[in-house]
Amino acid sequence: MAKKLVIKVTAGADAPERCSQAFTVAAVAVASGVDVSLWLTGESSWFALPGRAAEFELPHAAPLPDLLDSVLAGGRLTLCTQCAARREITEKDVIEGVRIAGAQVFVQEALADDTQALVY
């Protein structure tokens, strides 16, 4: 079993089930002691901003703010550099603990030894 999990979530409110699945898997992995790196790309980029996760609703799913907090507490949360730039999001705009990094860092994390990468 991989000791590290890198998850890229490309969906946001535009595909709520896929988005929720990615956050749920990340939070469960963190709770299980797995080293988790969750990447926000595409429409999920908006969840790097304060209050945006609270606007997300999906029946019978864990609240997105709770899942986000779990990942921030025990894993890493990264906002894609290009995705941030396209949305005019800067480091001063994001939730504390969110870093902004690009494809090179994602590839480095995803190809590390004992790592499993998932894309939603």
Side-chain angles (χ1 to χ4, degrees), residues 16 20-21 24 56-64 67:
S20 180
Q21 289 168 0
T24 300
F56 181 88
E57 291 185 19
L58 181 63
H60 309 292
L64 199 63
L67 299 173

Side-chain angles (χ1 to χ4, degrees), residues 15-50:
E17 287 185 299
R18 193 162 28 120
C19 176
S20 180
Q21 289 168 0
F23 276 90
T24 300
V25 168
V28 168
V30 166
S32 299
V34 176
D35 180 0
V36 174
S37 177
L38 179 62
W39 283 72
L40 304 176
T41 67
E43 285 304 298
S44 72
S45 299
W46 296 113
F47 299 127
L49 298 175

Side-chain angles (χ1 to χ4, degrees), residues 60-78:
H60 309 292
L64 199 63
D66 294 348
L67 299 173
L68 183 66
D69 288 345
S70 294
V71 174
L72 281 169
R76 285 177 309 289
L77 190 61
T78 305

